[in-house]
């Protein structure tokens, strides 16, 4: 039995564990039917032209963990942003860990999707927001919707500011020979509210893991959302991350994606505008080597006038690794006065490294400012020679040039402790010490 057949047959067992009389029953049923009809995406599809899942799908993944596992804080302390106090929503092999978590209902809601999807007091909110911006056609999003239960639920009410960042971490213990998990996150940020969120997926050993994650973010009028994804997993881990963002009038949402680890990573990032004077920011740093594969697929749908979007992705690829950047800006006829910027810069540091870049502009309005740019090259040998002439060893000179290359993205991180943590990860990836203790 292949993975698709296992998932379809497992859906019946999953439904036996939940309330099939709820309003979500039809949503889940339609979703599994879409997945059953389409199956996993293949390279025949334009959006997946450069990314194949075939090798991953050969693993015999467990769809449900056979038993609940626990881990001690000391084992995973290094993965937390312990330099600053945070709310924490932590999962172990797809199951919520109350021991490692620190949630709240005081003024803001930081809790579980399982509670929100099953408790009557959340029904109106779930009916209004759940699966409303996520794609109904994208097959992996449909698969996640069918099995959606565990994940983070964050609701910041009108005019509230989250008093500290929120960490969402998914740990995989590796107790299963191979495990597939499908977390579902829902983030609702009310009018004039503000939140900072950090998300991470982390394996604790080398057993294969496939994570199919879906996150829906709703930013209401004048809301501010700063979202950071840290992807620095083991080389046996595979992540497909589908994020959908709905923005209302004058809201500001920034999404930073830092891709350093994992075997295969696919980031589907989709912004949709539903009001004027919206600002969307998409930034990323990717540093990969060996045979890693990272694919960034972005969409900003400008549907309303007087809005801005800014994309800036920096990629450093070594060994036989492969990077993909497919960024689309869609400007509808009504979206006059749009200002959309897209930049993708790539450095190849080995002869076998590969980058596939496809920036796209689809413009149907006539009064806009839209630009895109893509560069692919190597480190500047003249700059290297200049630094070596002044006593800087070659390895450190290379690292300094790469840091300078990444800094434009790194400097926009608004949590100082997180910026320092990412800087240390970059230094480790580049195998250097740059004036601070790692």
């Amino acid at each position: 039995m292949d993975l698709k057949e296992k998932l379809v047959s497992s859906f019946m067992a999953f439904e036996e564990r939940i309330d099939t009389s709820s309003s979500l029953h039809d949503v889940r049923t339609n979703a599994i039917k879409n997945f059953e009809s389409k199956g996993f995406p293949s390279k025949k599809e334009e959006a997946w032209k450069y990314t194949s899942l075939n090798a991953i799908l050969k693993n015999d993944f467990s769809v449900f963990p056979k038993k609940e596992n626990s881990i001690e804080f000391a084992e995973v302390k290094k993965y937390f942003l312990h330099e600053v106090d945070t709310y924490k929503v932590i999962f172990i092999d797809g199951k919520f860990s109350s021991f490692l978590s620190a949630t709240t209902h005081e003024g803001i809601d930081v809790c579980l999707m399982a509670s929100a999807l099953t408790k009557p007091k959340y029904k109106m909110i779930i009916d209004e927001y759940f699966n409303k911006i996520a794609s109904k056609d994208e097959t992996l999003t449909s698969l996640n919707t069918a099995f959606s239960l565990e994940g983070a639920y964050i609701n910041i009410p009108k005019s509230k500011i989250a008093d500290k960042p929120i960490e969402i971490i998914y740990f995989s213990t590796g107790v299963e020979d191979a495990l597939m998990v499908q977390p579902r996150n829902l983030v609702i940020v009310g009018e004039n509210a503000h939140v900072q969120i950090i998300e991470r997926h982390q394996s604790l050993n080398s057993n294969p893991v496939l994570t199919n994650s879906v996150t829906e973010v709703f930013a209401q009028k004048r809301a501010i959302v700063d979202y950071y994804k840290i992807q620095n997993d083991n080389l046996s881990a595979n992540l497909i991350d589908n994020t959908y963002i709905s923005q209302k009038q004058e809201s500001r949402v920034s999404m930073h994606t830092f891709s350093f680890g994992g075997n295969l990573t696919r980031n589907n990032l989709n912004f949709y505008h539903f009001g004027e004077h919206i600002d969307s920011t998409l930034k990323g740093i990717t540093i990969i080597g060996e045979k890693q594969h990272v694919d960034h697929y972005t969409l900003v749908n400008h549907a309303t006038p007087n809005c801005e979007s800014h994309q800036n992705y920096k990629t450093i690829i070594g060994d036989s690794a492969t990077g993909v950047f497919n960024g689309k800006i869609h400007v509808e006829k009504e979206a006059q006065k749009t200002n959309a910027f897209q930049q993708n810069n790539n450095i190849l540091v080995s002869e076998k490294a590969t980058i596939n870049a496809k920036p796209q502009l689809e413009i149907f309005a006539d009064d806009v400012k839209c630009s895109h740019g893509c560069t692919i090259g190597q480190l500047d040998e003249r700059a290297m020679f200049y630094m070596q002439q002044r006593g800087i060893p070659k390895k450190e000179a290379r690292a300094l040039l790469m840091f300078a290359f990444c800094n434009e993205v790194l400097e926009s991180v608004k949590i100082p402790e997180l910026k320092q943590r990412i800087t240390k990860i970059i230094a480790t990836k580049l195998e250097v010490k740059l004036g601070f203790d790692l």
Side-chain angles (χ1 to χ4, degrees), residues 121-138:
K121 72 174 184 176
Y122 293 105
K123 185 179 185 306
M124 289 182 61
I125 296 174
I126 293 301
D127 288 347
E128 182 176 357
Y129 292 104
F130 180 79
N131 206 44
K132 292 302 187 290
I133 194 65
S135 172
K136 309 299 188 297
D137 297 319
E138 206 283 321

Side-chain angles (χ1 to χ4, degrees), residues 102-133:
T103 59
T104 182
H105 298 284
E106 298 296 325
I108 63 176
D109 240 344
V110 180
C111 62
L112 306 183
M113 275 296 291
S115 297
L117 291 174
T118 56
K119 292 186 177 180
K121 72 174 184 176
Y122 293 105
K123 185 179 185 306
M124 289 182 61
I125 296 174
I126 293 301
D127 288 347
E128 182 176 357
Y129 292 104
F130 180 79
N131 206 44
K132 292 302 187 290
I133 194 65

Side-chain angles (χ1 to χ4, degrees), residues 11-22 24-25 28-29 114 117-118 145-149:
F11 180 71
M12 296 179 63
F14 173 76
E15 284 223 304
E16 292 177 357
R17 300 163 47 193
I18 59 177
D19 181 10
T20 56
S21 64
S22 75
L24 295 179
H25 175 64
R28 290 192 175 105
T29 301
L117 291 174
T118 56
T145 299
F147 287 93
S148 56
L149 184 61

Side-chain angles (χ1 to χ4, degrees), residues 223-234:
I224 301 175
V225 182
D226 297 316
Y227 207 119
Y228 304 94
K229 294 178 181 285
I230 314 301
Q231 300 169 348
N232 191 31
D233 212 339
N234 295 339

